[in-house]
Amino acid sequence: MTVREDCLSLPIPAIARAQAQQFAAQQATPAKGVRVYLNTLAVWSVHRYLHLMQIPTVLEQSDCWRLGYQSLFDSADLWVPRYGRLECGCFQPKQTQVAVPPEAIQG
């Protein structure tokens, strides 16, 4: 783990990339595959960070870990017991705005 003044960098292990690639390959279009890939890595990264902070999470109870939800929604949620779903987002270098999908806003 590397800490800089403006960010915290966590390595993304091969198993996370493999899972993201598997999810992406199951999507109907390449564009949806890219979105699912990035969402999966965002969720995995938040999951690892919370693990370091000793906050339990359950990836398998997250909607974004379910094929049906991945295909229908732009979901990047992480299930945090006692708190509920935490929406995770991915940012590209030099990105200045973030679009929040409607399904992330609904309660």
Side-chain angles (χ1 to χ4, degrees):
M1 177 170 53
T2 304
V3 178
R4 292 185 353 204
E5 184 177 317
D6 60 342
C7 71
L8 170 68
S9 297
L10 295 171
I12 300 174
I15 191 168
R17 293 182 190 279
Q19 183 70 66
Q21 187 59 44
Q22 179 184 350
F23 287 162
Q26 297 172 348
Q27 303 309 310
T29 67
K32 181 65 174 177
V34 168
R35 192 74 204 141
V36 167
Y37 181 85
L38 294 173
N39 285 347
T40 302
L41 293 182
V43 171
W44 186 280
S45 297
V46 174
H47 161 73
R48 291 297 300 151
Y49 175 75
L50 292 178
H51 176 77
L52 289 172
M53 302 300 294
Q54 299 182 342
I55 299 170
T57 64
V58 184
L59 287 170
E60 297 78 15
Q61 287 186 7
S62 303
D63 288 343
C64 68
W65 238 249
R66 301 175 187 168
L67 180 59
Y69 282 87
Q70 294 168 354
S71 299
L72 295 174
F73 303 109
D74 187 8
S75 180
D77 68 313
L78 177 60
W79 182 254
V80 182
R82 297 181 46 212
Y83 297 99
R85 298 189 189 288
L86 174 64
E87 193 67 26
C88 307
C90 60
F91 296 89
Q92 298 298 319
K94 299 183 182 180
Q95 183 175 343
T96 60
Q97 296 181 346
V98 176
V100 178
E103 55 270 18
I105 298 170
Q106 297 173 356

